[in-house]
Amino acid sequence: DQQVKQNSPSLSVQEGRISILNCDYTNSMFDYFLWYKKYPAEGPTFLISISSIKDKNEDGRFTVFLNKSAKHLSLHIVPSQPGDSAVYFCAASSTLGGGSEKLVFGKGTKLTVNP
Amino acid sequence: DTAVSQTPKYLVTQMGNDKSIKCEQNLGHDTMYWYKQDSKKFLKIMFSYNNKELIINETVPNRFSPKSPDKAHLNLHINSLELGDSAVYFCASSQPLTSGKGAEAFFGQGTRLTVV
């Protein structure tokens, strides 16, 4: 029962172009969404987040878009750089309490940015 | 000056053994977690502690016993290790997700456990 889905296991883009990573969720209780980046043999590192009261959050080259009605979010990286090559995890949480202190992760998308 | 540190980074052990993984965070966070990344690369929560109190136990076998001596430490002890326990285990910390302070969890580097 995957509540957070990243249907593309991999994505390859050219340096300087836009990378778009997608994520879908099924649980209507989720109200906070995050993207993590992971290099091999390292732990995930937080990249950017968005609350369900917003539809867009931007931080430098990274922008996350949230479409609540479609239960869909996406991460845009522009321009993409070779150092962005990593596995990107989408995660979701419910901040409503009641023992919801956990992040639910997607399976990840491996992004390769080619020079 | 690592924010979340866990040891060891690699652990190879035989079936039936008991082993522990240690985790410490210096971020002043109230909540700590153990996540497991299995061979299919799913990253799933195992336990969550808030101020030393267990708040989430995600149907993990009772061979796994977390212990939080204080809010900066959350150790994971595993009894009678099985082949299926082989995975990467990540410790993480954050402020409580319900605190309104953001849900960004900071992760340790992971412990790759191999049971042979």
Side-chain angles (χ1 to χ4, degrees):
Chain A
D1 180 26
Q2 274 186 262
Q3 298 184 66
V4 178
K5 300 178 185 179
Q6 293 177 257
N7 291 320
S8 297
S10 63
L11 175 67
S12 184
V13 300
Q14 284 299 118
E15 181 178 6
R17 306 295 289 267
I18 186 171
S19 295
I20 300 177
L21 297 102
N22 293 303
C23 178
D24 297 293
Y25 62 97
T26 57
N27 190 336
S28 301
M29 299 296 287
F30 289 148
D31 60 356
Y32 199 81
F33 304 90
L34 309 90
W35 285 94
Y36 280 82
K37 177 178 175 179
K38 185 182 180 303
Y39 293 116
E42 294 184 12
T45 55
F46 170 72
L47 198 56
I48 192 169
S49 62
I50 188 167
S51 164
S52 60
I53 62 173
K54 296 184 176 180
D55 55 18
K56 176 182 174 181
N57 189 25
E58 192 172 352
D59 183 2
R61 297 186 296 114
F62 302 90
T63 303
V64 56
F65 296 92
L66 175 62
N67 182 334
K68 280 177 58 180
S69 60
K71 293 192 177 67
H72 177 84
L73 61 154
S74 60
L75 174 68
H76 292 211
I77 307 173
V78 55
S80 301
Q81 299 173 354
D84 296 330
S85 297
V87 177
Y88 289 78
F89 288 96
C90 172
S93 71
S94 170
T95 61
L96 299 175
S100 302
E101 300 287 347
K102 67 177 180 181
L103 296 176
V104 179
F105 283 85
K107 202 173 175 180
T109 296
K110 183 177 182 179
L111 173 66
T112 303
V113 180
N114 301 304
Chain B
D1 194 24
T2 307
V4 180
S5 60
Q6 55 182 108
T7 55
K9 187 170 182 179
Y10 299 98
L11 185 53
V12 181
T13 188
Q14 290 187 324
M15 283 176 54
N17 284 350
D18 303 338
K19 290 293 178 185
S20 293
I21 307 172
K22 295 185 176 181
C23 179
E24 175 181 5
Q25 56 98 0
N26 62 7
L27 297 167
H29 288 159
D30 293 326
T31 306
M32 294 187 72
Y33 314 82
W34 278 107
Y35 282 84
K36 177 181 178 180
Q37 187 177 33
D38 60 22
S39 57
K40 295 182 180 178
K41 305 302 182 187
F42 279 108
L43 197 59
K44 290 184 180 177
I45 191 165
M46 300 174 68
F47 300 102
S48 172
Y49 269 73
N50 189 37
N51 268 322
K52 304 192 300 175
E53 182 182 345
L54 178 67
I55 52 176
I56 288 180
N57 179 342
E58 285 283 304
T59 59
V60 176
N62 56 17
R63 297 183 295 104
F64 291 78
S65 52
K67 284 189 171 52
S68 183
D70 55 62
K71 76 173 193 178
H73 295 83
L74 180 61
N75 304 322
L76 183 65
H77 189 76
I78 315 171
N79 290 325
S80 304
L81 278 154
E82 301 177 356
L83 293 177
D85 297 332
S86 296
V88 182
Y89 293 84
F90 289 99
C91 176
S93 74
S94 75
Q95 292 295 9
L97 303 184
T98 52
S99 69
K101 297 178 185 177
E104 296 86 44
F106 292 79
F107 284 79
Q109 64 181 1
T111 296
R112 181 173 293 276
L113 171 65
T114 303
V115 182
V116 298

